Amino acid sequence: IDLVFGYKQQGQAALDSDNVFHHLFYEGSVNIDTIEDPLERNATIGFINNFGQMPKQLFKKPHPAKKIKARALMDSSTAVLSTSTGSAAAAALTDRLFYRNLHRLSPSLHPIKELQGPVGQILQTDKGIVAVERH
């Protein structure tokens, strides 16, 4: 949210986040109607059509962090944890999220079932990652 719609879209925060693009891709940076040279106008339109434009910047301050309510993935006896920034329980839970453990991924030795619908949940277990269809 901060990179696309927020404070890291432009300015020093964008530079610090390596979130900078060609000047034509920012909203309001060019008025196509004022470009008189047809070659330059077509090239500008081509750039925008091929690469798109950044959406309007909606937030000038950092977006608040999402508060997670999640079931502890490794310990089924643990009740739902209501995490908050800085808590030890939150840190322990987020360390077990699958995208924090990509180094543990390995190809499956068993055939993989193609999901027919959207993924409802991705769980990390001791044996790997399970994607559960949303019903």
Side-chain angles (χ1 to χ4, degrees):
I1 290 174
D2 287 334
L3 291 172
V4 177
F5 298 105
Y7 80 106
K8 290 183 179 181
Q9 186 190 74
Q10 298 180 32
Q12 188 62 44
L15 291 171
D16 294 342
S17 301
D18 294 324
N19 190 40
V20 292
F21 302 92
H22 191 277
H23 73 278
L24 293 177
F25 304 150
Y26 291 95
E27 179 191 38
S29 67
V30 65
N31 183 350
I32 294 173
D33 296 330
T34 62
I35 301 174
E36 294 180 15
D37 179 16
L39 184 60
E40 184 180 345
R41 178 182 301 161
N42 286 338
T44 301
I45 292 170
F47 271 125
I48 293 168
N49 286 341
N50 283 309
F51 301 106
Q53 284 189 303
M54 294 292 294
K56 182 175 182 67
Q57 186 175 13
L58 301 177
F59 308 106
K60 300 291 184 186
K61 298 184 294 186
H63 194 271
K66 182 177 181 179
K67 293 186 180 178
I68 302 171
K69 284 189 177 186
R71 195 168 299 276
L73 300 176
M74 297 299 214
D75 182 1
S76 61
S77 65
T78 305
V80 173
L81 294 175
S82 182
T83 63
S84 60
T85 306
S87 81
L93 180 61
T94 57
D95 284 343
R96 290 187 289 203
L97 294 172
F98 81 94
Y99 55 83
R100 303 270 177 148
N101 294 287
L102 296 178
H103 63 281
R104 292 181 49 198
L105 291 178
S106 61
S108 175
L109 300 176
H110 306 289
I112 298 174
K113 177 188 171 215
E114 284 286 327
L115 297 177
Q116 300 301 315
V119 173
Q121 192 173 20
I122 299 175
L123 303 171
Q124 177 184 341
T125 67
D126 289 332
K127 295 186 180 198
I129 294 176
V130 178
V132 181
E133 286 183 274
R134 184 174 21 171
H135 296 289

